[in-house]
Amino acid sequence: MASKVRKIGNSAGVILPKSALAALGVSEGAAVEFVYEPGKVSITPARREVREGWADDFAALAAEGLAVEDREWLEADLTPDSQDEWDAFSEEDMARIEAQLRADGVVKA
């Protein structure tokens, strides 16, 4: 596909056809980078900065509000209905277990 260099203000430019933009995966207004090599110039989509656009995305999500399911997850009681096995041991049990582990050399003082 051929094109011509055209005057654009005080500069010169090449108009990229819609198919070229689609092949690059960019749209009008997108940032691109030029790679200069002997006898040719390549155009690639510009790499985005880390977290670029996150603030706008978070603002949009906040404006939408939470879905009912999301709110249920956030408000859910995450405490277990029963004690886990470690909660079943008394202070004396834990002291006895720790003393045994030290005697066996598993835990150092």
Side-chain angles (χ1 to χ4, degrees):
M1 176 180 302
S3 186
K4 291 185 178 182
V5 178
R6 302 176 185 191
K7 182 171 175 57
I8 303 174
N10 290 333
S11 300
V14 176
I15 304 298
L16 296 175
K18 193 174 189 177
S19 59
L21 294 174
L24 280 171
V26 298
S27 59
E28 182 180 335
V32 294
E33 294 178 352
F34 295 95
V35 179
Y36 302 99
E37 298 174 32
K40 73 177 185 177
V41 176
S42 300
I43 301 173
T44 60
R47 287 177 275 161
R48 292 178 56 171
E49 292 294 320
V50 175
R51 297 181 185 94
E52 181 181 328
W54 282 22
D56 295 335
D57 292 343
F58 285 134
L61 288 170
E64 290 177 16
L66 293 174
V68 173
E69 183 179 358
D70 295 332
R71 186 164 303 285
E72 288 173 357
W73 274 102
L74 288 173
E75 295 173 353
D77 180 15
L78 300 178
T79 57
D81 292 334
S82 61
Q83 295 180 334
D84 67 24
E85 63 184 70
W86 289 104
D87 291 336
F89 291 105
S90 68
E91 292 287 327
E92 295 81 23
D93 291 333
M94 293 303 292
R96 183 181 44 76
I97 292 168
E98 184 177 354
Q100 184 62 50
L101 290 172
R102 283 189 181 165
D104 293 343
V106 175
V107 174
K108 306 232 185 295

